[in-house]
Amino acid sequence: MADVRVTYDAEADAAYLYFTDPRINVRVARMYPCDPVQVEGMINLDFDETSHLVGIEILSARSKLPAYLLETAEQIGRDGDPG
């Protein structure tokens, strides 16, 4: 089973799920916001220039993701630095 990197900013209540090889620097070429009314929140899908899904941003993550996932996620601050 593949590992997926998950980061979480508790202050912003925002999580990010990465679907890329951590050894490769991938640039997000476009973002597709899901309809916040239909998903009851803000979820953004990020794609690279070849239309591969590279990550998912979840705002109001505590209401969307299981607690164990947020507890085990890499904790980051608002400036993007771990810790």
Side-chain angles (χ1 to χ4, degrees):
M1 180 160 85
D3 289 329
V4 173
R5 179 180 174 215
V6 179
T7 59
Y8 179 59
D9 181 335
E11 186 177 339
D13 192 20
Y16 197 87
L17 286 70
Y18 294 81
F19 301 132
T20 57
D21 184 334
R23 300 167 293 182
I24 300 171
N25 187 15
V26 176
R27 187 180 77 76
V28 173
R30 65 185 177 90
M31 183 266 300
Y32 176 80
C34 296
D35 184 334
V37 173
Q38 290 182 344
V39 298
E40 297 178 8
M42 181 59 75
I43 298 174
N44 299 313
L45 307 176
D46 289 339
F47 295 88
D48 67 11
E49 52 279 331
T50 61
S51 295
H52 287 105
L53 180 64
V54 297
I56 301 174
E57 178 186 37
I58 300 132
L59 305 178
S60 298
R62 284 188 292 267
S63 70
K64 298 288 168 224
L65 297 173
Y68 83 89
L69 185 63
L70 299 178
E71 291 165 3
T72 59
E74 177 184 335
Q75 302 296 310
I76 60 171
R78 281 211 175 239
D79 58 4
D81 289 332

